Amino acid sequence: ARFLAVDMVPGERAADVRRFLGQIGGNSLAAVVDTDGALTSRYAVSSLTTVIVIDASGRVTYRGQAPSTDQILAALGTSASR
């Protein structure tokens, strides 16, 4: 499975995103900042705590607002098994 972290704050600096990922043990996670809001619009994200899991075919398999770690891991497991 491949994962990508998307920061939805247009003015966020890449260094801040990297620092945050380091704090949570996500140093190997690829990350981008949605500077023009394209992904925010495409996936209708209305909250910074939104988590969306998209499978390899591009289908959204999970959407949650401020989900727990267990919910995220379950969603990732379900998506990876497809």
Side-chain angles (χ1 to χ4, degrees):
R2 295 183 314 210
F3 301 98
L4 173 67
V6 179
D7 189 304
M8 307 309 257
V9 180
E12 194 83 73
R13 295 177 325 145
D16 293 331
V17 174
R18 284 276 137 228
R19 188 171 22 265
F20 169 74
L21 290 174
Q23 291 171 350
I24 64 167
N27 290 328
S28 64
L29 188 61
V32 298
V33 177
D34 189 21
T35 56
D36 63 0
L39 294 172
T40 301
S41 294
R42 180 175 183 177
Y43 294 104
V45 174
S46 60
S47 168
L48 293 178
T49 60
T50 300
V51 172
I52 299 172
V53 176
I54 303 167
D55 69 12
S57 66
R59 194 174 94 231
V60 173
T61 59
Y62 176 81
R63 171 184 287 274
Q65 299 295 330
S68 68
T69 301
D70 289 340
Q71 289 171 311
I72 294 169
L73 291 173
L76 291 172
T78 300
S79 183
S81 67
R82 293 178 187 220

